[in-house]
Amino acid sequence: MQRNKAGRTPSGHQFSRLKPAEIDPLAEYGLPSKGEKRLLNHKTQEAYYSKIAERYLAFCTDAGDRDSLQKQFSRLALGDSTNTNISTPLLPAGSTSTATPPSTSHSHDSSSTPQQLPLPPSDNLSQILSALRKLREALVASSRLDDFTTQVYLFAVRLGILSSSFETYLPSLLYLLRVIHRSPSHPLTSIEYHEVVSCLVLDTACRRGDLAEAYALRNKYKLQDAKMDATLKALVMDDWVSWRRTKRSVDGYRVRLMEFAEPGIRGHILKAFGRAYLSVGPEYLEETMGMKWEEMVERLGVGWELDKGKVVIRKIGGRTQ
């Protein structure tokens, strides 16, 4: 084969020995705020959402049982949590099958098609959240307000809550209330509206710790929910018993939001034990706190002693003669 002066074969005989780059389908597009224009097309948005939904379903399948799935979500949490009622975000009907990838003007051979790299579960979830941000930015940039937009934002809210990513769920909640619900053609349904407002009020009360603002939002959006009222009252009163009772009766999304406030309430109940008891049985303490003795020592920094089957809280010194 003849070579030119540069030592390269003629253009008609160029063969690449390099393997095609393996690109994650979710990383194919950039952020619209950084100049990405391809995601502004409606069909491209729907196809991209199908990839996100498929990746999320694969993530749930790979996790296995509920406990394993809970651990994967907790890895992205800001702090450790002990969620006992994890729910899976509901995907819109047909989200993985109705949308089809947009046609392109370039055809590719199957041997040169980029293949997806296997990612660790935590990285997979991070990729999903990042892809949701790109899609949300594209929906805003294209001024799209329809049922598909509502589905994407509701999914972002639910997944963001389960992964404790307020950077994902809080902007989505605000956009649903301030933009989508005010749209005359595609407002939220009564059930969706109730879910969104409830999440916003709980986030304000539990994560931000602003009870006054939480009550103000409850009144502003005219939220009528007995369980929400019980949750806010338990926070105001530092009522651990009512808090746990309410937590057992709500769905996994509310449980996840309520966990933001648990360290404060648990700290209050520990102080109550410290003032009221000299010693207490470990079983009673674990049942009241809702966690094992080892977890209290490791996570809450409890300095009490476990001696002869009892937790010694305070010791009374002997009399001096």
Side-chain angles (χ1 to χ4, degrees):
M1 182 180 297
Q2 295 182 353
R3 296 177 178 271
N4 55 25
K5 294 181 179 180
R8 299 175 182 174
T9 58
S11 59
H13 299 281
Q14 289 181 352
F15 297 95
S16 175
R17 295 183 180 180
L18 299 176
K19 294 182 179 180
E22 296 179 341
I23 303 175
D24 189 335
L26 299 188
E28 180 180 357
Y29 302 103
L31 290 168
S33 59
K34 302 296 183 180
E36 176 64 69
K37 301 296 183 183
R38 292 174 294 173
L39 272 177
L40 301 185
N41 180 273
H42 287 191
K43 289 185 178 180
T44 306
Q45 293 169 358
E46 294 165 8
Y48 192 56
Y49 181 58
S50 290
K51 295 177 183 178
I52 294 173
E54 289 169 4
R55 178 68 63 82
Y56 173 71
L57 291 175
F59 166 78
C60 293
T61 302
D62 293 341
D65 57 9
R66 187 190 67 179
D67 293 336
S68 299
L69 183 61
Q70 173 186 334
K71 291 179 181 178
Q72 298 300 339
F73 280 121
S74 297
R75 288 183 180 180
L76 287 185
L78 297 178
D80 293 334
S81 58
T82 55
N83 186 6
T84 59
N85 189 17
I86 284 290
S87 298
T88 301
L90 301 177
L91 292 176
S95 61
T96 61
S97 59
T98 57
T100 57
S103 60
T104 60
S105 58
H106 301 281
S107 61
H108 300 273
D109 184 73
S110 59
S111 61
S112 63
T113 302
Q115 297 179 353
Q116 178 182 340
L117 283 169
L119 296 173
S122 57
D123 291 342
N124 234 334
L125 189 54
S126 298
Q127 283 278 16
I128 294 172
L129 294 174
S130 176
L132 275 174
R133 178 188 172 186
K134 298 173 187 177
L135 183 55
R136 290 186 351 252
E137 285 192 9
L139 293 171
V140 174
S142 60
S143 301
R144 183 172 183 177
L145 292 175
D146 56 10
D147 292 337
F148 174 76
T149 303
T150 303
Q151 292 170 356
V152 171
Y153 272 86
L154 286 174
F155 178 63
V157 166
R158 292 161 182 165
L159 182 56
I161 289 174
L162 290 184
S163 56
S164 299
S165 174
F166 68 89
E167 300 92 343
T168 298
Y169 70 76
L170 184 56
S172 300
L173 286 172
L174 297 177
Y175 192 79
L176 282 165
L177 286 174
R178 297 175 180 178
V179 179
I180 294 179
H181 188 59
R182 294 179 180 178
S183 170
S185 57
H186 293 88
L188 299 174
T189 65
S190 58
I191 296 177
E192 293 169 345
Y193 178 79
H194 185 274
E195 176 186 357
V196 170
V197 173
S198 298
C199 290
L200 181 61
V201 172
L202 269 182
D203 177 72
T204 304
C206 299
R207 183 182 64 84
R208 293 171 52 195
D210 192 341
L211 289 172
E213 179 65 16
Y215 274 105
L217 289 172
R218 169 182 169 274
N219 295 333
K220 175 183 177 180
Y221 292 109
K222 300 178 180 179
L223 178 63
Q224 296 181 354
D225 189 324
K227 293 179 180 178
M228 179 63 66
D229 294 342
T231 302
L232 295 178
K233 183 178 179 181
L235 272 176
V236 173
M237 303 293 293
D238 284 324
D239 188 345
W240 174 247
V241 176
S242 298
W243 175 267
R244 291 190 66 191
R245 185 187 304 119
T246 305
K247 187 180 175 183
R248 293 192 188 102
S249 65
V250 298
D251 59 58
Y253 307 113
R254 293 196 186 191
V255 167
R256 201 65 169 174
L257 289 171
M258 291 173 69
E259 286 178 349
F260 281 111
E262 283 203 351
I265 300 182
R266 278 199 168 111
H268 178 80
I269 197 66
L270 283 174
K271 291 179 181 178
F273 268 105
R275 295 189 182 102
Y277 294 90
L278 295 177
S279 63
V280 66
E283 296 82 5
Y284 176 66
L285 182 62
E286 290 176 349
E287 172 62 25
T288 303
M289 293 295 297
M291 59 195 311
K292 295 294 184 181
W293 165 252
E294 293 77 10
E295 291 181 279
M296 291 183 237
V297 174
E298 180 181 354
R299 293 172 49 190
L300 302 180
V302 175
W304 302 333
E305 296 179 4
L306 184 60
D307 183 27
K308 298 179 180 180
K310 282 193 175 184
V311 176
V312 179
I313 299 176
R314 288 182 295 167
K315 293 182 178 180
I316 299 178
R319 294 181 178 179
T320 59
Q321 296 181 352

